[in-house]
Protein backbone atom coordinates (compact mmCIF):
# COMPACT_ATOMS: atom_id res chain seq x y z
CA UNK A 1 0.00 0.00 0.00
CA UNK A 2 2.79 2.43 0.87
CA UNK A 3 4.65 1.60 -2.35
CA UNK A 4 1.52 2.07 -4.45
CA UNK A 5 0.81 5.47 -2.85
CA UNK A 6 4.33 6.66 -3.66
CA UNK A 7 4.02 6.20 -7.43
CA UNK A 8 4.48 9.28 -9.67
CA UNK A 9 1.34 11.21 -10.59
CA UNK A 10 -0.24 10.86 -7.15
CA UNK A 11 -1.31 13.45 -4.62
CA UNK A 12 1.07 16.37 -3.95
CA UNK A 13 2.96 16.51 -0.63
CA UNK A 14 2.46 20.11 0.45
CA UNK A 15 1.21 20.12 4.09
CA UNK A 16 3.20 20.71 7.28
CA UNK A 17 2.38 20.31 11.02
CA UNK A 18 0.96 23.83 11.38
CA UNK A 19 -1.37 23.20 8.43
CA UNK A 20 -2.53 19.95 10.04
CA UNK A 21 -3.21 21.49 13.46
CA UNK A 22 -5.23 24.28 11.84
CA UNK A 23 -6.97 21.74 9.61
CA UNK A 24 -8.02 19.79 12.71
CA UNK A 25 -9.16 22.95 14.51
CA UNK A 26 -10.94 23.97 11.33
CA UNK A 27 -12.96 20.75 11.34
CA UNK A 28 -13.60 20.70 15.10
CA UNK A 29 -14.46 24.29 16.07
CA UNK A 30 -17.76 25.03 14.38
CA UNK A 31 -21.26 23.68 15.00
CA UNK A 32 -20.17 22.12 18.29
CA UNK A 33 -19.08 25.28 20.06
CA UNK A 34 -21.49 27.72 18.37
CA UNK A 35 -24.69 25.61 18.40
CA UNK A 36 -24.51 22.36 20.40
CA UNK A 37 -23.24 24.01 23.58
CA UNK A 38 -26.76 25.29 24.22
CA UNK A 39 -28.38 21.89 23.61
CA UNK A 40 -25.77 20.19 25.78
CA UNK A 41 -26.38 22.66 28.62
CA UNK A 42 -30.06 21.67 28.66
CA UNK A 43 -29.07 18.03 29.19
CA UNK A 44 -26.27 18.48 31.75
CA UNK A 45 -26.67 21.96 33.20
CA UNK A 46 -23.43 23.73 34.19
CA UNK A 47 -21.82 20.27 34.32
CA UNK A 48 -21.59 20.55 30.53
CA UNK A 49 -17.91 21.23 31.19
CA UNK A 50 -17.60 17.65 32.48
CA UNK A 51 -19.50 16.36 29.44
CA UNK A 52 -16.93 17.96 27.17
CA UNK A 53 -14.12 16.43 29.23
CA UNK A 54 -15.71 12.94 29.00
CA UNK A 55 -16.09 13.27 25.23
CA UNK A 56 -12.54 14.62 24.95
CA UNK A 57 -11.15 11.66 26.94
CA UNK A 58 -12.86 9.22 24.58
CA UNK A 59 -11.44 11.12 21.61
CA UNK A 60 -8.03 11.47 23.27
CA UNK A 61 -7.50 7.74 23.75
CA UNK A 62 -8.69 7.11 20.19
CA UNK A 63 -6.41 9.91 18.96
CA UNK A 64 -3.37 8.07 20.36
CA UNK A 65 -4.35 5.04 18.28
CA UNK A 66 -4.96 7.20 15.21
CA UNK A 67 -1.58 8.84 15.63
CA UNK A 68 0.24 5.49 15.67
CA UNK A 69 -1.52 4.32 12.53
CA UNK A 70 -1.15 7.63 10.71
CA UNK A 71 2.61 7.68 11.34
CA UNK A 72 3.02 3.99 10.40
CA UNK A 73 0.75 3.81 7.34
CA UNK A 74 0.75 7.36 5.86
CA UNK A 75 -1.86 6.64 3.18
CA UNK A 76 -4.97 8.64 2.23
CA UNK A 77 -8.23 7.25 3.57
CA UNK A 78 -7.99 7.51 7.37
CA UNK A 79 -9.57 4.63 9.34
CA UNK A 80 -10.71 2.97 6.10
CA UNK A 81 -7.07 2.50 5.07
CA UNK A 82 -5.98 1.34 8.52
CA UNK A 83 -8.80 -1.22 8.69
CA UNK A 84 -7.90 -2.46 5.21
CA UNK A 85 -4.29 -2.99 6.24
CA UNK A 86 -5.06 -4.83 9.48
CA UNK A 87 -8.59 -6.22 9.64
CA UNK A 88 -9.22 -7.06 5.99
CA UNK A 89 -11.23 -5.81 3.06
CA UNK A 90 -14.76 -6.50 4.34
CA UNK A 91 -14.25 -4.63 7.62
CA UNK A 92 -12.53 -1.80 5.73
CA UNK A 93 -15.39 -1.57 3.26
CA UNK A 94 -17.98 -1.38 6.05
CA UNK A 95 -16.14 1.34 7.93
CA UNK A 96 -15.51 3.24 4.68
CA UNK A 97 -19.21 2.94 3.89
CA UNK A 98 -19.95 4.22 7.39
CA UNK A 99 -17.60 7.18 6.96
CA UNK A 100 -19.17 8.16 3.63
CA UNK A 101 -22.47 8.64 5.46
CA UNK A 102 -20.87 10.32 8.47
CA UNK A 103 -18.76 12.86 6.59
CA UNK A 104 -21.40 13.54 3.95
CA UNK A 105 -24.31 14.13 6.31
CA UNK A 106 -22.10 16.13 8.67
CA UNK A 107 -21.19 18.40 5.75
CA UNK A 108 -24.84 18.78 4.68
CA UNK A 109 -26.03 19.42 8.24
CA UNK A 110 -23.41 22.10 8.83
CA UNK A 111 -24.29 23.68 5.47
CA UNK A 112 -27.89 24.10 6.66
CA UNK A 113 -26.66 25.65 9.94
CA UNK A 114 -24.31 27.92 7.98
CA UNK A 115 -27.25 29.06 5.87
CA UNK A 116 -29.23 30.05 8.97
CA UNK A 117 -26.39 32.17 10.39
CA UNK A 118 -25.71 33.69 6.97
CA UNK A 119 -29.34 34.68 6.49
CA UNK A 120 -29.36 36.18 10.00
CA UNK A 121 -26.28 38.23 9.10
CA UNK A 122 -27.92 39.40 5.86
CA UNK A 123 -31.06 40.33 7.76
CA UNK A 124 -28.96 42.52 10.06
CA UNK A 125 -27.83 44.39 6.96
CA UNK A 126 -31.42 44.79 5.77
CA UNK A 127 -31.24 42.08 3.11
CA UNK A 128 -33.72 39.18 3.04
CA UNK A 129 -33.84 36.34 0.53
CA UNK A 130 -37.15 35.25 -1.01
CA UNK A 131 -38.83 32.89 1.48
CA UNK A 132 -38.94 30.08 -1.10
CA UNK A 133 -35.13 29.99 -1.23
CA UNK A 134 -34.40 30.06 2.51
CA UNK A 135 -35.00 26.42 3.52
CA UNK A 136 -35.77 22.91 2.33
CA UNK A 137 -39.41 21.96 1.56
CA UNK A 138 -41.34 21.53 4.80
CA UNK A 139 -38.49 22.77 6.99
CA UNK A 140 -40.46 25.83 8.14
CA UNK A 141 -44.11 25.16 9.04
CA UNK A 142 -46.42 27.71 7.47
CA UNK A 143 -43.77 28.96 5.03
CA UNK A 144 -43.83 27.86 1.39
CA UNK A 145 -40.15 26.93 0.97
CA UNK A 146 -38.66 25.28 -2.13
CA UNK A 147 -34.94 24.95 -1.45
CA UNK A 148 -32.12 26.16 0.77
CA UNK A 149 -30.18 28.15 -1.79
CA UNK A 150 -27.38 29.48 0.49
CA UNK A 151 -26.58 25.92 1.65
CA UNK A 152 -26.23 24.73 -1.94
CA UNK A 153 -24.16 27.75 -2.99
CA UNK A 154 -21.66 27.46 -0.14
CA UNK A 155 -21.20 23.75 -0.83
CA UNK A 156 -20.49 24.41 -4.51
CA UNK A 157 -18.07 27.25 -3.71
CA UNK A 158 -16.11 25.07 -1.29
CA UNK A 159 -16.09 22.24 -3.82
CA UNK A 160 -14.61 24.56 -6.43
CA UNK A 161 -11.95 25.64 -3.93
CA UNK A 162 -11.06 22.04 -3.01
CA UNK A 163 -10.87 21.01 -6.67
CA UNK A 164 -8.18 23.65 -7.35
CA UNK A 165 -5.69 22.17 -4.89
CA UNK A 166 -5.16 21.22 -1.26
CA UNK A 167 -2.44 23.83 -0.74
CA UNK A 168 -4.78 26.64 -1.76
CA UNK A 169 -7.63 25.21 0.32
CA UNK A 170 -5.33 24.90 3.34
CA UNK A 171 -4.31 28.56 3.07
CA UNK A 172 -7.94 29.72 3.04
CA UNK A 173 -8.72 27.35 5.92
CA UNK A 174 -5.79 28.69 7.96
CA UNK A 175 -6.97 32.30 7.61
CA UNK A 176 -10.56 31.45 8.62
CA UNK A 177 -9.38 29.33 11.57
CA UNK A 178 -7.24 32.18 12.92
CA UNK A 179 -10.22 34.56 12.67
CA UNK A 180 -12.72 32.25 14.38
CA UNK A 181 -10.29 31.31 17.17
CA UNK A 182 -9.73 35.03 17.72
CA UNK A 183 -13.50 35.46 18.06
CA UNK A 184 -13.68 32.63 20.62
CA UNK A 185 -10.80 34.15 22.59
CA UNK A 186 -12.58 37.55 22.58
CA UNK A 187 -15.69 35.86 23.97
CA UNK A 188 -13.61 34.36 26.78
CA UNK A 189 -11.93 37.68 27.59
CA UNK A 190 -15.11 39.79 27.57
CA UNK A 191 -17.45 37.14 28.95
CA UNK A 192 -15.37 36.15 31.98
CA UNK A 193 -16.13 39.38 33.84
CA UNK A 194 -19.91 38.85 33.49
CA UNK A 195 -20.02 35.38 35.06
CA UNK A 196 -22.47 34.99 37.96
CA UNK A 197 -21.36 31.95 39.96
CA UNK A 198 -24.91 31.52 41.29
CA UNK A 199 -25.83 30.20 37.83
CA UNK A 200 -23.49 27.25 38.43
CA UNK A 201 -25.64 25.94 41.29
CA UNK A 202 -26.72 23.21 41.21
CA UNK A 203 -23.72 22.19 39.14
CA UNK A 204 -25.08 18.82 37.93
CA UNK A 205 -28.89 19.08 38.19
CA UNK A 206 -29.47 15.88 36.19
CA UNK A 207 -26.70 13.81 37.73
CA UNK A 208 -24.30 11.45 35.99
CA UNK A 209 -26.87 10.37 33.39
CA UNK A 210 -27.30 13.99 32.30
CA UNK A 211 -23.55 14.42 31.99
CA UNK A 212 -23.21 11.26 29.89
CA UNK A 213 -26.22 12.08 27.71
CA UNK A 214 -24.77 15.51 26.99
CA UNK A 215 -21.36 13.93 26.31
CA UNK A 216 -22.94 11.60 23.72
CA UNK A 217 -24.46 14.67 22.05
CA UNK A 218 -21.54 17.10 22.22
CA UNK A 219 -19.23 14.36 20.96
CA UNK A 220 -20.24 15.85 17.59
CA UNK A 221 -18.22 18.89 18.64
CA UNK A 222 -14.99 16.87 18.47
CA UNK A 223 -15.58 15.18 15.14
CA UNK A 224 -12.94 16.39 12.73
CA UNK A 225 -9.55 15.52 14.19
CA UNK A 226 -9.78 12.17 12.38
CA UNK A 227 -10.15 14.06 9.09
CA UNK A 228 -6.52 15.14 9.55
CA UNK A 229 -5.44 11.56 8.88
CA UNK A 230 -7.17 11.69 5.49
CA UNK A 231 -4.40 14.07 4.41
CA UNK A 232 -1.63 11.52 5.05
CA UNK A 233 -0.42 11.29 1.44
CA UNK A 234 -0.24 15.07 1.10
CA UNK A 235 1.92 15.66 4.19
CA UNK A 236 5.62 16.45 3.77
CA UNK A 237 6.75 14.46 6.83
CA UNK A 238 3.79 12.28 7.87
CA UNK A 239 5.64 10.24 10.52
CA UNK A 240 6.31 13.38 12.56
CA UNK A 241 3.61 15.81 11.47
CA UNK A 242 0.47 13.65 11.61
CA UNK A 243 0.68 12.86 15.36
CA UNK A 244 1.35 16.55 16.02
CA UNK A 245 -1.68 17.57 13.95
CA UNK A 246 -4.04 15.03 15.50
CA UNK A 247 -3.18 15.47 19.18
CA UNK A 248 -2.43 19.20 18.92
CA UNK A 249 -5.78 20.13 17.36
CA UNK A 250 -7.71 17.97 19.85
CA UNK A 251 -5.91 19.49 22.85
CA UNK A 252 -6.49 23.10 21.73
CA UNK A 253 -10.19 22.52 21.08
CA UNK A 254 -10.82 20.72 24.37
CA UNK A 255 -9.41 23.66 26.36
CA UNK A 256 -11.52 26.14 24.39
CA UNK A 257 -14.73 24.09 24.77
CA UNK A 258 -14.41 23.71 28.54
CA UNK A 259 -13.70 27.42 29.10
CA UNK A 260 -16.47 28.61 26.75
CA UNK A 261 -19.11 26.28 28.23
CA UNK A 262 -18.17 27.37 31.78
CA UNK A 263 -18.50 31.05 30.89
CA UNK A 264 -21.75 30.53 28.95
CA UNK A 265 -23.51 28.73 31.80
CA UNK A 266 -22.09 31.30 34.22
CA UNK A 267 -23.65 34.20 32.31
CA UNK A 268 -26.98 32.61 31.33
CA UNK A 269 -29.07 30.19 33.48
CA UNK A 270 -28.87 26.91 31.53
CA UNK A 271 -32.68 26.59 31.16
CA UNK A 272 -32.68 29.77 29.03
CA UNK A 273 -30.89 27.93 26.21
CA UNK A 274 -34.01 25.98 25.24
CA UNK A 275 -34.83 26.53 21.56
CA UNK A 276 -31.72 28.70 21.07
CA UNK A 277 -29.42 27.94 18.11
CA UNK A 278 -26.93 30.74 18.86
CA UNK A 279 -26.02 30.18 22.56
CA UNK A 280 -22.66 31.96 22.49
CA UNK A 281 -24.03 35.19 21.05
CA UNK A 282 -27.05 34.89 23.42
CA UNK A 283 -24.65 34.89 26.38
CA UNK A 284 -23.04 38.08 25.08
CA UNK A 285 -26.46 39.69 24.63
CA UNK A 286 -27.25 38.80 28.26
CA UNK A 287 -23.98 40.43 29.25
CA UNK A 288 -24.80 43.54 27.22
CA UNK A 289 -21.84 43.12 24.86
CA UNK A 290 -23.95 43.41 21.71
CA UNK A 291 -21.14 44.49 19.39
CA UNK A 292 -19.27 41.26 20.13
CA UNK A 293 -22.38 39.11 19.69
CA UNK A 294 -22.54 40.23 16.04
CA UNK A 295 -18.86 39.38 15.67
CA UNK A 296 -19.57 35.93 17.14
CA UNK A 297 -22.21 35.39 14.46
CA UNK A 298 -19.55 36.14 11.85
CA UNK A 299 -17.16 33.78 13.65
CA UNK A 300 -19.85 31.08 13.58
CA UNK A 301 -20.19 31.47 9.82
CA UNK A 302 -16.43 31.15 9.34
CA UNK A 303 -16.34 28.26 11.82
CA UNK A 304 -18.95 26.29 9.92
CA UNK A 305 -17.25 27.11 6.62
CA UNK A 306 -14.01 25.48 7.73
CA UNK A 307 -15.90 22.44 9.10
CA UNK A 308 -17.55 21.91 5.72
CA UNK A 309 -14.22 22.44 3.94
CA UNK A 310 -12.35 19.83 5.98
CA UNK A 311 -15.22 17.31 6.11
CA UNK A 312 -15.71 17.48 2.35
CA UNK A 313 -11.95 17.13 1.93
CA UNK A 314 -11.88 14.07 4.17
CA UNK A 315 -14.73 12.40 2.34
CA UNK A 316 -13.15 12.86 -1.09
CA UNK A 317 -9.93 11.22 0.17
CA UNK A 318 -11.85 8.23 1.51
CA UNK A 319 -13.60 7.87 -1.85
CA UNK A 320 -10.19 8.19 -3.50
CA UNK A 321 -8.72 5.37 -1.36
CA UNK A 322 -11.70 3.03 -1.82
CA UNK A 323 -11.65 3.60 -5.56
CA UNK A 324 -7.90 2.97 -5.77
CA UNK A 325 -8.47 -0.38 -4.07
CA UNK A 326 -11.04 -1.29 -6.73
CA UNK A 327 -14.05 -1.14 -4.41
CA UNK A 328 -15.57 1.87 -6.17
CA UNK A 329 -15.41 3.02 -9.82
CA UNK A 330 -11.87 3.93 -10.97
CA UNK A 331 -12.99 7.43 -12.02
CA UNK A 332 -13.14 8.41 -8.34
CA UNK A 333 -9.38 7.95 -7.91
CA UNK A 334 -8.22 9.83 -10.99
CA UNK A 335 -6.00 12.83 -10.16
CA UNK A 336 -6.26 16.05 -12.14
CA UNK A 337 -2.97 16.56 -14.05
CA UNK A 338 -2.82 20.28 -13.24
CA UNK A 339 -4.35 20.64 -9.78
CA UNK A 340 -3.19 17.34 -8.29
CA UNK A 341 -6.60 16.65 -6.72
CA UNK A 342 -9.20 13.87 -7.15
CA UNK A 343 -11.22 16.26 -9.29
CA UNK A 344 -14.21 14.06 -10.18
CA UNK A 345 -14.64 12.72 -6.63
CA UNK A 346 -14.47 16.25 -5.22
CA UNK A 347 -17.24 17.55 -7.47
CA UNK A 348 -19.37 14.44 -6.92
CA UNK A 349 -19.26 14.96 -3.14
CA UNK A 350 -19.97 18.68 -3.43
CA UNK A 351 -22.93 18.32 -5.76
CA UNK A 352 -24.59 15.33 -4.04
CA UNK A 353 -24.40 16.67 -0.50
CA UNK A 354 -25.03 20.23 -1.62
CA UNK A 355 -28.32 19.05 -3.15
CA UNK A 356 -29.14 17.13 0.05
CA UNK A 357 -28.51 20.28 2.10
CA UNK A 358 -30.71 22.28 -0.28
CA UNK A 359 -33.72 19.97 -0.44
CA UNK A 360 -33.77 17.83 2.72
CA UNK A 361 -34.53 19.19 6.22
CA UNK A 362 -31.57 18.03 8.31
CA UNK A 363 -32.25 19.11 11.85
CA UNK A 364 -31.68 15.92 13.88
CA UNK A 365 -28.61 14.33 12.31
CA UNK A 366 -25.97 14.86 15.01
CA UNK A 367 -26.71 11.49 16.65
CA UNK A 368 -26.43 9.55 13.38
CA UNK A 369 -23.10 11.20 12.62
CA UNK A 370 -21.91 10.47 16.17
CA UNK A 371 -22.69 6.75 16.12
CA UNK A 372 -20.74 6.29 12.89
CA UNK A 373 -17.73 8.11 14.28
CA UNK A 374 -17.79 6.23 17.59
CA UNK A 375 -17.89 2.92 15.69
CA UNK A 376 -14.87 4.05 13.66
CA UNK A 377 -12.97 4.99 16.82
CA UNK A 378 -13.65 1.54 18.31
CA UNK A 379 -12.28 -0.12 15.18
CA UNK A 380 -9.08 1.88 15.01
CA UNK A 381 -8.42 1.16 18.68
CA UNK A 382 -8.82 -2.59 18.12
CA UNK A 383 -6.72 -2.43 14.95
CA UNK A 384 -3.73 -0.94 16.80
CA UNK A 385 -3.60 -3.95 19.11
CA UNK A 386 -4.00 -6.38 16.20
CA UNK A 387 -1.22 -4.74 14.18
CA UNK A 388 1.14 -4.81 17.18
CA UNK A 389 0.63 -8.59 17.30
CA UNK A 390 0.71 -9.25 13.54
CA UNK A 391 3.50 -6.87 12.50
CA UNK A 392 5.73 -5.95 15.45
CA UNK A 393 8.53 -5.32 12.92
CA UNK A 394 6.88 -2.26 11.33
CA UNK A 395 8.59 1.07 11.98
CA UNK A 396 6.37 3.27 14.14
CA UNK A 397 7.39 6.92 14.35
CA UNK A 398 4.76 7.38 17.07
CA UNK A 399 3.76 4.56 19.42
CA UNK A 400 0.46 4.67 21.28
CA UNK A 401 1.38 4.43 24.99
CA UNK A 402 0.00 1.70 27.24
CA UNK A 403 -1.09 -0.81 24.61
CA UNK A 404 -3.43 -2.68 25.04
CA UNK A 405 -4.80 -0.70 28.02
CA UNK A 406 -5.20 2.66 26.25
CA UNK A 407 -6.99 1.18 23.18
CA UNK A 408 -9.24 -0.83 25.52
CA UNK A 409 -10.18 2.33 27.44
CA UNK A 410 -10.93 4.07 24.13
CA UNK A 411 -13.30 1.25 23.15
CA UNK A 412 -15.03 1.28 26.56
CA UNK A 413 -15.56 5.07 26.46
CA UNK A 414 -16.88 4.97 22.88
CA UNK A 415 -19.27 2.07 23.57
CA UNK A 416 -20.51 3.86 26.70
CA UNK A 417 -21.30 6.98 24.68
CA UNK A 418 -22.99 4.91 21.96
CA UNK A 419 -25.27 3.34 24.58
CA UNK A 420 -26.73 6.78 25.33
CA UNK A 421 -27.84 7.33 21.71
CA UNK A 422 -31.47 6.74 20.76
CA UNK A 423 -32.95 3.50 19.42
CA UNK A 424 -33.95 5.24 16.17
CA UNK A 425 -30.32 6.22 15.63
CA UNK A 426 -29.19 2.62 16.10
CA UNK A 427 -31.85 1.34 13.68
CA UNK A 428 -30.92 3.87 10.98
CA UNK A 429 -27.23 3.06 11.43
CA UNK A 430 -27.80 -0.70 11.11
CA UNK A 431 -29.95 -0.21 7.99
CA UNK A 432 -27.16 1.81 6.34
CA UNK A 433 -24.63 -0.92 7.18
CA UNK A 434 -26.98 -3.58 5.75
CA UNK A 435 -27.15 -1.62 2.49
CA UNK A 436 -23.35 -1.48 2.52
CA UNK A 437 -23.13 -5.27 2.78
CA UNK A 438 -25.39 -5.65 -0.24
CA UNK A 439 -23.27 -3.23 -2.29
CA UNK A 440 -20.05 -4.99 -1.24
CA UNK A 441 -21.14 -8.50 -2.20
CA UNK A 442 -23.13 -7.33 -5.23
CA UNK A 443 -20.50 -4.99 -6.73
CA UNK A 444 -17.31 -4.18 -4.83
CA UNK A 445 -15.92 -7.62 -3.91
CA UNK A 446 -15.76 -8.94 -7.46
CA UNK A 447 -13.99 -5.78 -8.67
CA UNK A 448 -11.52 -5.22 -5.83
CA UNK A 449 -7.79 -5.31 -6.54
CA UNK A 450 -7.28 -7.67 -3.60
CA UNK A 451 -9.62 -10.36 -4.89
CA UNK A 452 -8.76 -9.65 -8.51
CA UNK A 453 -5.06 -10.31 -7.85
CA UNK A 454 -5.92 -13.42 -5.85
CA UNK A 455 -8.00 -14.81 -8.70
CA UNK A 456 -5.30 -14.03 -11.29
CA UNK A 457 -2.83 -16.07 -9.25
Amino acid sequence: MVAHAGKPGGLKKVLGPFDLILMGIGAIVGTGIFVLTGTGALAAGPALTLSFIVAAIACGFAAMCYAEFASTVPIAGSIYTYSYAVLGELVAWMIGWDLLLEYGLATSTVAVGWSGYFQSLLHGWGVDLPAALTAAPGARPGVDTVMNLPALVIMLLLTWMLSLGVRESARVNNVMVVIKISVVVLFILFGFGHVNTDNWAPYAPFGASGIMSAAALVFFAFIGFDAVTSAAEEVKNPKRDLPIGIIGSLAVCTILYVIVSAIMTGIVPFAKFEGVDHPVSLALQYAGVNWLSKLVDLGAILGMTTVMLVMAYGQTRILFAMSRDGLLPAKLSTVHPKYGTPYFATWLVGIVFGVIAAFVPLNVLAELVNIGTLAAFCLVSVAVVVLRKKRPDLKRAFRCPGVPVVPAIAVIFCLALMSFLSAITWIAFLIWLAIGLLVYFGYARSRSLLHGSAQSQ
Side-chain angles (χ1 to χ4, degrees), residues 316-356:
T316 60
R317 270 45 180 186
I318 291 169
L319 278 173
F320 175 86
M322 295 176 76
S323 169
R324 190 169 59 185
D325 293 331
L327 298 172
L328 291 173
K331 184 72 173 175
L332 294 171
S333 57
T334 55
V335 176
H336 195 282
K338 178 180 178 182
Y339 303 127
T341 60
Y343 201 78
F344 181 79
T346 301
W347 276 103
L348 178 67
V349 166
I351 292 172
V352 169
F353 289 101
V355 169
I356 290 175

Side-chain angles (χ1 to χ4, degrees), residues 29-97:
V29 178
T31 306
I33 198 168
F34 291 113
V35 179
L36 287 181
T37 41
T39 309
L42 291 173
L48 175 63
T49 51
L50 294 181
S51 300
F52 273 117
I53 291 172
V54 169
I57 290 172
C59 289
F61 284 119
M64 297 289 184
C65 301
Y66 263 101
E68 175 167 326
F69 260 118
S71 64
T72 307
V73 190
I75 311 296
S78 185
I79 178 58
Y80 159 76
T81 298
Y82 310 152
S83 300
Y84 199 111
V86 180
L87 302 175
E89 184 178 84
L90 176 58
V91 174
W93 164 266
M94 293 306 295
I95 202 63
W97 184 255

Side-chain angles (χ1 to χ4, degrees), residues 28 44 69 103 283 291 296 340 418:
I28 297 171
F69 260 118
Y103 279 39
W291 66 270
V296 164
M418 290 171 75

Side-chain angles (χ1 to χ4, degrees), residues 198-248:
D198 291 342
N199 290 330
W200 289 340
Y203 182 66
F206 308 110
S209 63
I211 294 171
M212 291 300 293
S213 296
L217 175 67
V218 300
F219 181 83
F220 184 92
F222 289 98
I223 292 173
F225 79 84
D226 55 320
V228 171
T229 61
S230 300
E233 278 184 52
E234 292 154 284
V235 178
K236 298 173 185 176
N237 186 355
K239 293 182 181 295
R240 181 201 67 185
D241 297 346
L242 280 170
I244 293 174
I246 294 168
I247 298 171

Side-chain angles (χ1 to χ4, degrees), residues 422-439:
S422 68
I424 294 176
T425 300
W426 276 94
I427 292 170
F429 179 62
L430 294 175
I431 289 174
W432 177 253
L433 293 185
I435 295 172
L437 280 174
L438 292 176
V439 174

